[in-house]
């Protein structure tokens, strides 16, 4: 696993009202990055907006670090 990550202990995403829209715990991340949030909730694509994420990661040296920030979900690109 890249960057010395042993395990993602928690990865959660909330909407701007504080509602949980995604949660995944205790997993080894896929190096391709395809195991994260896909912008949906209960199988339905969410409207564009800003969402807050929080993740707690354990590294191979045993150190645990909490990350947080925001991510913007944009309109789906149309051709």
């Amino acid at each position: 696993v890249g960057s010395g990550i042993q395990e993602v202990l928690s990865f959660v995403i909330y909407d701007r009202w504080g509602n949980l829209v995604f949660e995944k715990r205790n997993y080894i991340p896929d190096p391709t990055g395809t195991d994260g949030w896909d912008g949906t909730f209960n199988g339905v694509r969410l409207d564009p907006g800003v969402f807050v994420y929080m993740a707690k990661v354990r590294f191979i040296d045993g150190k645990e670090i909490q990350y947080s920030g925001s991510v913007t979900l944009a309109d789906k690109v149309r051709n």
Side-chain angles (χ1 to χ4, degrees):
V1 176
S3 304
I5 296 173
Q6 179 181 7
E7 181 179 14
V8 177
L9 302 173
S10 65
F11 178 48
V12 293
I13 297 180
Y14 298 93
D15 65 15
R16 67 182 189 179
W17 297 280
N19 299 308
L20 181 68
V21 296
F22 179 82
E23 178 177 32
K24 192 168 184 178
R25 297 188 180 276
N26 303 315
Y27 69 98
I28 298 170
D30 178 354
T32 64
T34 59
D35 60 349
W37 181 49
D38 63 0
T40 65
F41 179 67
N42 289 333
V44 177
R45 180 149 175 88
L46 294 173
D47 290 333
V50 178
F51 296 81
V52 173
Y53 70 85
M54 294 190 305
K56 187 172 186 178
V57 177
R58 179 184 299 129
F59 291 87
I60 57 175
D61 64 1
K63 188 174 185 177
E64 294 180 4
I65 298 178
Q66 179 86 32
Y67 296 93
S68 63
S70 63
V71 60
T72 300
L73 184 62
D75 268 332
K76 185 175 179 180
V77 176
R78 294 183 178 98
N79 292 331

